[in-house]
């Protein structure tokens, strides 16, 4: 079967750095997405990786290793507004999105 | 601003009483999706349309139906809601269905079945 694994919850301190990991097992691979979802709101797109390596976008970076079936989202200089769930999703061989259950990130002052 | 709009944002209904949720988009995207998301779970795809081409996920219950009368609008009909259908229903759109297929979501319709 197809599977996305991410930690259920993480806690970090304002101003610090946090890394949210995602491992996947899918039938084929056509890219990996990270979405941010604040409580009670819709997911919003953060990043897309299809080649190995690091993609940097401001305070957020996303890394992919296709051989390891692994990605992480790195958040720097954490702000209280970064408290949210972070969803990892993989596009499989049929371009169907397989979603993880999300990692709830709690930021403490 | 181009966007995806869902109505109603909140809906409370009684067990078995039909519900219709609506979604409209001004992005002129070809693909529209309906997802169900329960608390702390992954979004679950119910249906998607590529233009008027309807695609039903194999495990979507028959109780759920969808309509896309034109490119801008899409509806989700729940014919006889059960308690287990309490969830957030998310509408999303995308330009196409392959490649870097970024989804734009509406704010969601939170359905409570009593």
């Amino acid at each position: 079967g197809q599977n996305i694994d991410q930690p259920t919850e993480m806690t970090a301190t304002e101003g610090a750095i946090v890394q949210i990991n995602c491992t996947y097992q899918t039938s084929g691979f056509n890219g990996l997405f990270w979405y941010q979802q604040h409580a009670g709101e819709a997911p919003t797109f953060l990043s897309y990786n299809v080649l190995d390596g690091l993609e940097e976008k401001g305070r957020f970076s996303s890394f992919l290793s296709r051989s390891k079936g692994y990605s992480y989202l790195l958040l720097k200089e954490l702000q209280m507004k970064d408290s949210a769930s972070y969803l990892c999703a993989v596009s499989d061989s049929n371009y169907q999105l397989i979603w993880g259950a999300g990692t709830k990130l709690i930021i403490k002052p | 601003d181009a966007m995806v709009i869902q109505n109603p944002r909140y809906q409370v209904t009684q067990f078995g009483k039909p519900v219709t949720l609506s979604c409209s988009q001004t992005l002129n995207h070809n693909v529209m999706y309906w997802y169900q998301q329960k608390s702390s779970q992954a979004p679950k795809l119910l249906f998607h349309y590529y233009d008027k081409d309807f695609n039903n996920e194999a495990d979507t219950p028959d109780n759920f139906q969808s309509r896309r009368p034109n490119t801008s609008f899409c509806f989700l009909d729940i014919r006889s809601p059960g308690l287990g259908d309490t969830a957030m229903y998310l509408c999303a759109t995308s330009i196409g269905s392959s490649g870097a297929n970024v989804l734009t979501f509406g704010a969601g319709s939170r359905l409570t079945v009593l």
Side-chain angles (χ1 to χ4, degrees):
Chain A
Q2 308 202 88
N3 195 49
I4 308 282
D5 284 317
Q6 21 178 164
T8 303
E9 187 174 296
M10 298 181 71
T11 302
T13 304
E14 190 176 15
I17 299 173
V18 71
Q19 177 175 311
I20 302 173
N21 295 326
C22 170
T23 57
Y24 62 89
Q25 290 177 306
T26 57
S27 55
F29 179 84
N30 279 301
L32 184 143
F33 299 81
W34 284 96
Y35 283 80
Q36 179 190 60
Q37 186 175 26
H38 285 101
E41 298 182 13
T44 56
F45 170 75
L46 288 177
S47 67
Y48 172 73
N49 295 68
V50 67
L51 299 176
D52 290 350
L54 188 68
E55 296 277 344
E56 296 185 75
K57 195 185 289 186
R59 294 189 298 115
F60 292 8
S61 302
S62 55
F63 171 83
L64 175 68
S65 169
R66 287 171 297 171
S67 62
K68 296 181 179 177
Y70 168 70
S71 172
Y72 67 73
L73 180 69
L74 191 72
L75 290 74
K76 302 176 184 176
E77 301 169 17
L78 285 170
Q79 302 175 10
M80 297 303 293
K81 67 178 182 179
D82 298 330
S83 291
S85 287
Y86 292 85
L87 298 161
C88 174
V90 171
S91 179
D92 71 8
S93 58
N94 295 318
Y95 297 101
Q96 297 294 309
L97 271 183
I98 312 302
W99 292 85
T103 298
K104 183 178 180 181
L105 178 63
I106 300 168
I107 310 295
K108 295 186 174 179
Chain B
D1 286 342
M3 55 178 57
V4 180
I5 299 170
Q6 292 188 240
N7 283 298
R9 291 291 313 278
Y10 302 92
Q11 176 77 54
V12 179
T13 192
Q14 292 180 335
F15 182 94
K17 187 172 182 181
V19 164
T20 294
L21 307 177
S22 74
C23 178
S24 65
Q25 58 131 340
T26 59
L27 297 161
N28 205 29
H29 283 176
N30 293 311
V31 192
M32 293 187 79
Y33 308 80
W34 279 107
Y35 282 91
Q36 179 194 64
Q37 187 179 28
K38 296 184 178 180
S39 182
S40 301
Q41 294 186 20
K44 178 183 182 298
L45 183 63
L46 298 173
F47 316 95
H48 75 277
Y49 287 87
Y50 195 109
D51 286 334
K52 293 186 177 180
D53 184 22
F54 175 70
N55 296 273
N56 187 21
E57 294 304 300
D59 58 353
T60 298
D62 292 340
N63 197 25
F64 290 79
Q65 303 285 317
S66 183
R67 297 169 279 139
R68 189 179 185 186
N70 55 55
T71 54
S72 300
F73 284 88
C74 198
F75 297 93
L76 173 63
D77 300 307
I78 309 175
R79 291 189 296 187
S80 182
L83 299 179
D85 298 328
T86 291
M88 174 79 93
Y89 291 87
L90 295 165
C91 175
T93 70
S94 64
I95 295 172
S97 58
S98 62
N101 188 31
V102 176
L103 269 59
T104 301
F105 285 88
S109 291
R110 184 171 293 280
L111 176 67
T112 302
V113 183
L114 301 176

